[in-house]
Amino acid sequence: MAAPGIPPLLPLAVVMDRNRGASYLAVLIAGAGMFGIFLFVTYYLEVSLHYTPIQTGTAFLPMIAMLVLSAQLSTNIFVPRFGPKLMVPIGMVIGVVGMLYLTTLDANSTYVANILPPLLIIGLAMGSIMPAAMQTATLGVNRQFAGVASATVNTSQQVGGSIGTALLNTLAATAATTYVASHLPASPDVVAAAQIASYNTAYMWSAAFFALGAIVAALLYTRRSTVAATATAAHAEAQAEDVDDAPLVAMH
């Protein structure tokens, strides 16, 4: 609680706005899924397929390229035209598809045929979600709170990544233990299969995260016209503040 006369670090008005609140939740949920994927696909590539660290890092590059491409298209074309209410839920649904695709991977999967397609789909999903959510997360904020609103976006992503990594690790470890216990004796083949089962569990839960994100975004975001009105009002308020500050600048 803020002391009397001292404004709060994060005013409730910043997060209680429907569009901004939806954006913070979308970034948090997407962060949980994204960090989990980097972790478990890395495990899969290096432990199950015996990739080197350099090969693993290179394997992710097409996903990053797709993310950059889709983010540019979203920022410049799709978000201005359709708004976050459409773009964020669509991105979340695409994320669900990518996660479910990853559950088809096994010890015999190949990169081009089996691993690359879901990575590209997830890159498309993240590039659809993040620009719309991050732009809306600071839209219409009073300029004196612009910094804390922007910091809240980064915090949401980091908190989502931390929660997602911890939760998915726990679920995956439990799935692996359960698989081995039900397929005794624990031969090397059983252990390898248990690892695949644990990754698939993580992918399924990540798909559930994105499905939840799609529902939350569809329910909370307002229509594009409302978002545009908020932007117009914020621009007018900023211009009014500039006019009010002009005499003070002139005096100095």
Side-chain angles (χ1 to χ4, degrees):
M1 181 179 295
I6 300 177
L9 180 62
L10 178 61
L12 285 179
V14 173
V15 296
M16 292 303 291
D17 176 85
R18 280 185 60 177
N19 288 316
R20 288 196 293 269
S23 295
Y24 297 139
L25 288 174
V27 170
L28 186 147
I29 294 170
M34 181 176 67
F35 278 70
I37 287 316
F38 277 120
L39 178 65
F40 288 99
V41 174
T42 298
Y43 285 163
Y44 170 73
L45 293 176
E46 295 191 3
V47 177
S48 298
L49 299 187
H50 308 293
Y51 279 33
T52 66
I54 292 178
Q55 289 175 320
T56 299
T58 303
F60 280 108
L61 291 180
M63 172 183 168
I64 304 305
M66 176 59 78
L67 192 158
V68 171
L69 175 62
S70 61
Q72 288 298 316
L73 293 174
S74 295
T75 299
N76 297 305
I77 299 175
F78 298 121
V79 174
R81 180 172 297 180
F82 301 112
K85 187 173 182 64
L86 187 60
M87 290 304 300
V88 175
I90 287 177
M92 294 288 186
V93 171
I94 295 173
V96 172
V97 173
M99 297 301 172
L100 294 179
Y101 201 143
L102 285 173
T103 64
T104 64
L105 300 180
D106 57 33
N108 299 315
S109 297
T110 61
Y111 179 75
V112 174
N114 307 110
I115 302 170
L116 180 59
L119 290 182
L120 292 177
I121 292 172
I122 294 168
L124 175 62
M126 299 307 299
S128 301
I129 296 168
M130 288 303 186
M134 289 187 171
Q135 289 177 31
T136 311
T138 55
L139 184 65
V141 179
N142 188 295
R143 63 172 57 184
Q144 73 180 104
F145 300 124
V148 70
S150 179
T152 303
V153 179
N154 294 328
T155 302
S156 297
Q157 186 177 26
Q158 296 299 320
V159 170
S162 300
I163 294 174
T165 300
L167 180 59
L168 292 175
N169 253 321
T170 301
L171 294 168
T174 302
T177 302
T178 302
Y179 187 94
V180 172
S182 62
H183 293 79
L184 294 173
S187 64
D189 289 340
V190 169
V191 172
Q195 291 172 340
I196 299 295
S198 71
Y199 307 151
N200 288 341
T201 298
Y203 302 147
M204 287 295 295
W205 277 97
S206 292
F209 290 166
F210 279 108
L212 174 63
I215 295 171
V216 169
L219 292 177
L220 290 184
Y221 277 114
T222 58
R223 294 172 302 183
R224 184 171 67 91
S225 58
T226 305
V227 176
T230 301
T232 302
H235 180 67
E237 181 181 352
Q239 286 185 323
E241 290 181 359
D242 290 340
V243 171
D244 291 340
D245 292 341
L248 296 178
V249 174
M251 290 175 62
H252 290 292

Coordinates of all heavy atoms in Angstrom, one line a residue, residues 2 9 20 52-53 84 91 115 121 130 146 153 172 177 192 200-201 205 209 215 236 247:
A2 N 0.5 2.2 -0.9 CA 1.3 3.4 -1.0 C 1.1 4.3 0.3 O 0.0 4.3 0.9 CB 1.0 4.2 -2.2
L9 N 3.2 2.7 -7.2 CA 4.1 2.4 -8.2 C 3.4 1.9 -9.5 O 3.7 2.3 -10.6 CB 5.1 1.3 -7.8 CG 6.1 0.8 -8.8 CD1 7.0 2.0 -9.2 CD2 7.0 -0.3 -8.3
R20 N -5.8 -3.3 -21.7 CA -4.5 -3.5 -21.2 C -4.4 -4.7 -20.3 O -3.4 -5.5 -20.3 CB -4.1 -2.2 -20.4 CG -3.8 -1.0 -21.3 CD -3.1 0.1 -20.5 NE -3.9 0.7 -19.4 CZ -4.7 1.7 -19.6 NH1 -4.7 2.3 -20.8 NH2 -5.4 2.2 -18.7
T52 N 23.9 -31.7 -31.1 CA 24.9 -30.9 -30.3 C 24.2 -29.6 -30.0 O 23.2 -29.2 -30.6 CB 26.1 -30.6 -31.2 OG1 25.8 -29.8 -32.3 CG2 26.8 -31.9 -31.6
P53 N 24.8 -28.8 -29.0 CA 24.2 -27.5 -28.7 C 24.1 -26.6 -29.9 O 23.1 -25.8 -30.0 CB 25.1 -27.0 -27.6 CG 25.7 -28.2 -26.9 CD 25.8 -29.2 -28.0
P84 N -6.5 -6.1 -31.7 CA -6.1 -7.2 -30.9 C -7.2 -8.3 -30.6 O -6.9 -9.4 -30.3 CB -5.6 -6.5 -29.6 CG -6.4 -5.3 -29.5 CD -6.5 -4.8 -31.0
G91 N -3.8 -15.9 -32.9 CA -2.4 -16.4 -32.5 C -2.4 -17.4 -31.5 O -1.6 -18.4 -31.6
I115 N 9.9 -31.9 -37.2 CA 10.2 -30.9 -36.2 C 10.1 -29.5 -36.8 O 9.5 -28.6 -36.1 CB 11.7 -31.1 -35.7 CG1 11.8 -32.5 -35.1 CG2 12.0 -30.0 -34.6 CD1 13.2 -32.9 -34.8
I121 N 5.0 -23.1 -37.1 CA 3.7 -22.7 -36.7 C 3.7 -21.9 -35.4 O 3.0 -20.9 -35.2 CB 2.8 -24.0 -36.5 CG1 2.6 -24.7 -37.9 CG2 1.5 -23.7 -35.8 CD1 1.9 -26.0 -37.8
M130 N 2.2 -11.4 -29.9 CA 3.0 -10.4 -29.1 C 2.9 -9.0 -29.6 O 2.7 -8.0 -28.8 CB 4.5 -10.8 -29.1 CG 4.8 -12.0 -28.2 SD 4.3 -11.7 -26.5 CE 4.9 -13.1 -25.7
A146 N 3.6 5.7 -18.3 CA 4.0 4.9 -19.5 C 5.2 4.0 -19.2 O 5.2 2.8 -19.7 CB 4.4 5.9 -20.6
V153 N 4.6 -5.1 -18.9 CA 4.6 -6.0 -20.0 C 5.7 -7.0 -19.9 O 5.6 -8.2 -20.0 CB 4.6 -5.3 -21.4 CG1 4.7 -6.3 -22.5 CG2 3.5 -4.3 -21.6
A172 N 6.1 -32.7 -16.4 CA 6.9 -33.6 -17.3 C 7.6 -34.7 -16.4 O 7.6 -35.9 -16.8 CB 7.9 -32.8 -18.1
T177 N 8.1 -40.3 -14.5 CA 8.1 -41.3 -13.4 C 7.0 -42.3 -13.5 O 7.2 -43.5 -13.3 CB 8.0 -40.5 -12.1 OG1 9.1 -39.6 -12.0 CG2 8.1 -41.5 -10.9
A192 N 14.0 -44.0 -22.4 CA 13.9 -43.2 -23.6 C 12.4 -42.9 -24.0 O 12.1 -41.7 -24.3 CB 14.6 -43.8 -24.8
N200 N 5.8 -34.9 -24.4 CA 4.4 -34.8 -24.9 C 3.4 -34.2 -23.9 O 2.5 -33.5 -24.2 CB 3.9 -36.2 -25.4 CG 4.6 -36.6 -26.6 OD1 5.2 -35.8 -27.4 ND2 4.6 -37.9 -26.9
T201 N 3.6 -34.6 -22.6 CA 2.8 -34.1 -21.5 C 3.0 -32.5 -21.4 O 2.0 -31.8 -21.3 CB 3.2 -34.7 -20.2 OG1 2.9 -36.1 -20.2 CG2 2.4 -34.1 -19.1
W205 N 0.1 -29.6 -22.1 CA -0.3 -28.6 -21.2 C 0.0 -27.2 -21.8 O -0.8 -26.3 -21.5 CB 0.5 -28.8 -19.9 CG -0.2 -29.7 -19.0 CD1 0.1 -31.1 -18.8 CD2 -1.3 -29.5 -18.1 NE1 -0.7 -31.7 -17.9 CE2 -1.6 -30.7 -17.4 CE3 -2.0 -28.4 -17.8 CZ2 -2.6 -30.8 -16.5 CZ3 -3.0 -28.5 -16.8 CH2 -3.3 -29.7 -16.2
F209 N -2.5 -24.1 -22.2 CA -2.3 -22.7 -21.8 C -2.7 -21.8 -23.0 O -3.4 -20.7 -22.7 CB -0.8 -22.4 -21.6 CG -0.2 -23.1 -20.4 CD1 1.2 -23.2 -20.2 CD2 -1.1 -23.5 -19.4 CE1 1.7 -23.8 -19.1 CE2 -0.5 -24.1 -18.2 CZ 0.8 -24.2 -18.1
I215 N -9.3 -18.0 -25.1 CA -10.6 -17.7 -24.5 C -10.6 -16.4 -23.7 O -11.5 -15.5 -23.9 CB -11.0 -18.8 -23.5 CG1 -11.3 -20.1 -24.3 CG2 -12.3 -18.5 -22.7 CD1 -11.5 -21.4 -23.4
A236 N -5.0 13.0 -28.0 CA -5.6 14.3 -27.7 C -5.1 14.8 -26.3 O -4.8 16.0 -26.1 CB -7.1 14.3 -27.8
P247 N 3.7 27.3 -22.0 CA 4.0 28.6 -21.4 C 5.2 28.4 -20.4 O 6.0 29.3 -20.2 CB 2.7 29.0 -20.7 CG 1.6 28.3 -21.5 CD 2.2 27.0 -21.9

